[in-house]
Amino acid sequence: MLRREFTKSIMAGTGLASIPTLTNATPSQSLTNPQPAFKLKFAPHFGMFENSAGKDEIDQLKFMHEMGFRALEDNGMMGKSPELQTKIGETMAKLGMSMGVFVVGFDNWPPKSTLATGNKEWREKFLAKCREAVEVAKRCNAKYMTVVPGNFQRDLPMGIQTANVIESLRQGAAILEPHGLTMVLEPLSDNPDLFLRHSDQSYMICKAVNSPACKILFDMWHMVRNEGRMTQHMDWAWDEIAYFQIGDEPGRNEPTTGEVNYKFLFKHIAEKAKATNRGEFILGMEHGNSIKGKEGEMKLIEAYRWSDLS
């Protein structure tokens, strides 16, 4: 079946015409194939549209493009075969899509294996992963990769731990910087034992590392949970932020499903980027779908159409 026919059959099968527009939303054009590009560079992940596009990742990528998305992020890219990484990169290049983040991490990395300890064995493992990430980035045309330092240590002063993290990141940045690559540090909200939890802490560390290869990933779902006042915190840390991620709260699903005013936040990011000559940010869609199945995938697209720049 031709992809155009395939997408039309999806629209008919989900009863898309009967899906109401969001409350107080300006009605968007109906989702037909192909869709115009979003004004912002939203980046879905694999699996987000597999009910509509099937399980094949290249088919999913093409579907994302047809729905107007111009970027992809894939936390698990390093775990894919070199052949698939290359195929993904080549497909995105043909479609004019950008690659967002993938994660530099260890399989089943336990809490004790944190960069905050200064443990030389784990530092070397981290640096080895940075070297591996350079090759992965070349294959999939990536620039950004997520780094999480791990858990903090209750038996070490925070100043010592911070110095340990900074030294590891400096060495990692020295590997990435010659290739024009950037690790983005992600403060998280998943548990209270994490070393990196706030944007100001991440800002201080990036200033200390002092490299274009070490910046901040400002995940708005984590940050609304940890610190709130997101536009203020964005402004304070602005010159060290290189990447954003999305997730509404509660639920960690698409915009319009929770309490976060993403339409306002997207406008703030776009206007500040223009005012500071920062160019276009990739906005990673690191969240779930609030409704299962094809209908939920179409509603997710509708939510992004409403939240996109006017």
Side-chain angles (χ1 to χ4, degrees):
M1 178 183 291
L2 294 176
R3 177 161 293 276
R4 182 178 298 273
E5 296 173 354
F6 171 66
T7 307
K8 285 180 178 178
S9 70
I10 291 169
M11 303 303 175
T14 59
L16 184 63
S18 64
I19 296 175
T21 55
L22 299 167
T23 303
N24 298 323
T26 300
S28 64
Q29 70 181 83
S30 61
L31 299 179
T32 56
N33 180 41
Q35 286 289 290
F38 286 95
K39 294 177 182 177
L40 292 172
K41 193 169 280 188
F42 299 124
H45 55 79
F46 291 125
M48 186 165 270
F49 299 112
E50 69 176 24
N51 291 287
S52 298
K55 293 189 177 297
D56 182 84
E57 288 171 324
I58 300 303
D59 283 344
Q60 290 181 42
L61 190 57
K62 292 176 180 177
F63 181 84
M64 293 172 193
H65 181 267
E66 289 178 352
M67 292 296 100
F69 297 102
R70 294 296 180 265
L72 167 82
E73 69 173 25
D74 180 21
N75 287 344
M77 182 67 77
M78 288 188 75
K80 292 178 167 57
S81 69
E83 293 76 18
L84 182 54
Q85 292 167 359
T86 300
K87 191 173 182 180
I88 290 168
E90 290 174 346
T91 302
M92 283 193 293
K94 290 177 182 177
L95 295 172
M97 297 177 70
S98 301
M99 180 64 203
V101 292
F102 62 84
V103 172
V104 176
F106 303 96
D107 293 335
N108 302 314
W109 193 5
K112 67 179 180 180
S113 58
T114 171
L115 298 179
T117 64
N119 180 284
K120 292 183 178 180
E121 177 185 355
W122 286 105
R123 178 176 289 168
E124 287 306 315
K125 288 183 178 182
F126 165 67
L127 297 177
K129 283 292 183 179
C130 287
R131 296 184 189 98
E132 181 184 340
V134 170
E135 300 308 312
V136 174
K138 289 178 182 177
R139 289 191 284 266
C140 66
N141 299 322
K143 180 179 179 181
Y144 303 104
M145 52 218 64
T146 305
V147 168
V148 176
N151 285 9
F152 80 90
Q153 301 299 293
R154 297 181 184 276
D155 58 347
L156 283 177
M158 281 299 291
I160 300 299
Q161 295 183 63
T162 300
N164 290 335
V165 169
I166 289 169
E167 180 56 32
S168 290
L169 296 177
R170 282 178 175 168
Q171 293 185 35
I175 294 169
L176 301 175
E177 187 174 337
H179 302 278
L181 304 177
T182 301
M183 70 175 88
V184 284
L185 308 182
E186 184 177 14
L188 301 172
S189 64
D190 300 287
N191 69 68
D193 289 325
L194 290 157
F195 171 82
L196 196 64
R197 290 180 55 83
H198 297 282
S199 58
D200 64 319
Q201 177 193 15
S202 306
Y203 180 83
M204 181 272 292
I205 290 171
C206 287
K207 287 297 185 186
V209 175
N210 191 29
S211 168
C214 183
K215 297 295 179 182
I216 298 171
L217 191 171
F218 195 101
D219 185 318
M220 291 177 277
W221 180 72
H222 287 297
M223 292 302 91
V224 74
R225 285 154 57 91
N226 278 357
E227 57 191 27
R229 299 183 68 198
M230 281 196 281
T231 55
Q232 179 64 82
H233 284 284
M234 285 178 196
D235 291 351
W236 281 331
W238 184 258
D239 61 326
E240 295 296 334
I241 296 173
Y243 196 97
F244 290 91
Q245 285 181 328
I246 303 160
D248 215 337
E249 170 66 16
R252 202 176 188 179
N253 290 312
E254 70 270 17
T256 75
T257 58
E259 66 188 21
V260 180
N261 187 349
Y262 271 106
K263 194 171 185 70
F264 175 83
L265 291 173
F266 293 155
K267 184 173 183 286
H268 181 80
I269 292 167
E271 289 180 348
K272 192 166 182 67
K274 183 177 180 180
T276 55
N277 296 312
R278 290 294 306 277
E280 188 176 25
F281 284 96
I282 296 175
L283 300 159
M285 297 160 56
E286 195 186 34
H287 58 72
N289 298 10
S290 62
I291 300 173
K292 296 184 181 299
K294 294 179 182 179
E295 180 181 355
E297 293 170 3
M298 295 302 102
K299 284 184 178 291
L300 181 148
I301 295 169
E302 182 71 15
Y304 271 94
R305 285 288 169 196
W306 184 78
S307 302
D308 196 15
L309 298 180
S310 300

